Amino acid sequence: MQGRTPIQRLDRLEDVLGTRRQEVRIWAKRDDFMELGGGGNKLRKLEFLLGQAISESCNTIIATGGVQSNFARLAAAACAKTGLKCELVLAQMVPRQSDNYQNNGNVLLDQLFGARVHILSQDEDPAVLVKRRSDEIAADGGKAFIAVLGGSTPIGCLGYVDCAFELTMQAKELDIVFDHIVIPNGSGGMHAGLAAGMVLAGDTATKIRAHTVLSPREACITATADKVNAIFDLLSIDKRIEQTDVEIGGDELGGGYGIPTSAMVDAVGMIGRSEGLLLDPVYGGKALAGLLADIDSGVIAPRSNVLFVMTGGIPGLYAYSDVFMYQQ
C-alpha cells in the first residue's frame, strides 16, 4: 500500500437523514480509495499474505472465493504487480446465474489482470481443485501458496491490525473520538484485525459494530473472537477476548451471502445520491443499511461520532445491475 487512506465527513448523507440523524456525525474511512486493482480492503490482507508467499519461495498464488470475490480480483491485481502467477478457484456461493453475474464485474477484471480463472459448477468442491492444481504446480517445479477465503488467516488479519493504528492516529489528528466503527463482517479478518489492533493501540473508547453478510450471527461472533485470539497468539501477546466482547448485528444478512435486500438497495442509492459515492451490494451496502438501522433503533446514540469503513468491491455493482436498474 502507498500511504494512509483518507477519512472524510459524510455531511450530505447526514443532511439527507434529517430527523433520523439525531445529530449523529458520520465519517467514512475510504479503504475503497487504493491504488491497485480498483481498490478495496482486501489489499491490506494481501500485503501481508503475498509477503508470506514470497518468503516461502512460492511462485503462484491460488486464491479461493465466490464467483464475484473481491479478494480474488485483488489477489489477481497484486500478483500482476509483483510478478507472481495467479490462479482463482471461484465457487457458486450465490444463487445467481445471470450473464452479468457470471461474466461481468470482478470476473471480467480477474481476466484483465491475467489470472487463470476456474469457475466451478454448483456441485464441484473447491478444495479438490485447489489440491490438484497445487500438486500439478509442484510437479512442474513451482510452489503454490493457498490464499483461503477472504485471506482471513492470522497473518492476513495483520493488515487490519496495522489499519487500527492508522485510523487511531488519524482520529487524533482530526481531534475526534469515534464512538463506533461500523463495518461488514464476511470472513471476519477485517473485524478481527481491527479489534486486536484497537486493543494494542490502547483505544478502549471506540466500539467496533459489525453487520454479518456471510454467516449467521452467532457463528460469526464465535469465528471473529477466535480470529482475534489467534492474532494475539501469533504476536505472542498475553491477551484474550470473549465472545461477549464482539458486537455483530445479524438483521442485514437477509436471505444469505450475496442475496440482495431492500434495505441494502436503499442504502446504496442513498449514499450515491447524497455523496456521489459507491458501495458494493454484498458488503458495504448491507453494512450501511445496518448503520442506518442502528441509528433508528438507538444502538448508535444521538450525538455519536461514527466511522464507516468503505471496503470497496465496486465492480460487484455491475454484476448486480438488474437489482438497481429501476433506481432513478
Side-chain angles (χ1 to χ4, degrees):
M1 286 182 55
Q2 297 180 353
R4 306 184 301 182
T5 60
I7 291 176
Q8 68 183 78
R9 181 80 175 265
L10 301 183
D11 48 3
R12 279 280 296 130
L13 176 62
E14 294 172 359
D15 291 343
V16 168
L17 291 176
T19 56
R20 279 177 70 179
R21 175 188 174 192
Q22 298 179 298
E23 298 181 8
V24 172
R25 296 171 289 273
I26 306 172
W27 283 260
K29 173 68 169 164
R30 296 293 307 276
D31 269 14
D32 60 322
F33 196 70
M34 295 183 184
E35 73 282 357
L36 188 65
N41 68 316
K42 303 299 195 298
L43 285 171
R44 291 189 184 271
K45 301 177 186 179
L46 284 160
E47 182 176 11
F48 286 83
L49 293 172
L50 266 62
Q52 179 186 2
I54 292 168
S55 73
E56 295 175 2
S57 300
C58 297
N59 69 329
T60 303
I61 304 296
I62 302 178
T64 63
V67 171
Q68 285 293 331
S69 169
N70 297 307
F71 177 67
R73 182 241 315 165
L74 289 172
C79 285
K81 180 66 174 177
T82 55
L84 294 168
K85 297 177 182 178
C86 183
E87 298 202 16
L88 307 178
V89 178
L90 307 181
Q92 301 291 341
M93 295 176 62
V94 180
R96 294 182 69 84
Q97 294 299 317
S98 69
D99 182 67
N100 270 344
Y101 189 84
Q102 296 293 323
N103 297 295
N104 203 343
N106 284 311
V107 177
L108 171 64
L109 298 184
D110 295 340
Q111 297 164 346
L112 288 176
F113 295 141
R116 180 176 179 182
V117 181
H118 308 271
I119 298 183
L120 306 186
S121 64
Q122 192 68 49
D123 58 352
E124 288 184 281
D125 183 353
V128 172
L129 180 55
V130 168
K131 177 65 166 59
R132 187 176 82 229
R133 286 299 301 140
S134 180
D135 290 345
E136 291 170 349
I137 290 166
D140 288 338
K143 185 178 180 182
F145 180 88
I146 312 303
V148 299
L149 184 72
S152 293
T153 66
I155 287 178
C157 292
L158 294 178
Y160 268 91
V161 174
D162 183 64
C163 181
F165 282 87
E166 177 182 312
L167 64 85
T168 298
M169 183 179 298
Q170 288 175 301
K172 290 179 180 178
E173 292 169 355
L174 294 168
D175 195 24
I176 299 168
V177 175
F178 290 113
D179 300 293
H180 300 272
I181 300 172
V182 177
I183 58 173
N185 186 313
S187 57
M190 176 173 65
H191 190 166
L194 281 175
M198 296 301 275
V199 170
L200 298 177
D203 186 336
T204 59
T206 304
K207 295 180 180 179
I208 301 172
R209 171 71 173 170
H211 293 274
T212 180
V213 302
L214 176 61
S215 306
R217 178 176 176 273
E218 293 304 321
C220 188
I221 288 172
T222 299
T224 302
D226 288 347
K227 285 181 172 67
V228 175
N229 291 327
I231 294 168
F232 291 147
D233 290 340
L234 175 67
L235 298 176
S236 299
I237 292 171
D238 186 22
K239 291 185 180 293
R240 280 290 181 273
I241 69 162
E242 303 298 328
Q243 292 184 22
T244 51
D245 299 320
V246 179
E247 189 175 331
I248 298 175
D251 291 344
E252 304 308 320
L253 179 59
Y257 175 75
I259 298 178
T261 64
S262 58
M264 176 278 291
V265 172
D266 289 345
V268 171
M270 182 179 293
I271 197 168
R273 290 187 294 271
S274 64
E275 295 283 354
L277 297 177
L278 299 174
L279 292 179
D280 80 292
V282 178
Y283 295 90
K286 287 187 174 181
L288 181 60
L291 188 161
L292 300 178
D294 287 343
I295 292 174
D296 287 343
S297 68
V299 170
I300 293 176
R303 293 174 293 283
S304 294
N305 292 320
V306 179
L307 181 65
F308 176 68
V309 180
M310 293 183 62
T311 56
I314 306 310
L317 281 169
Y318 303 104
Y320 285 79
S321 60
D322 56 313
V323 176
F324 296 96
M325 284 179 67
Y326 72 92
Q327 296 288 303
Q328 299 295 323

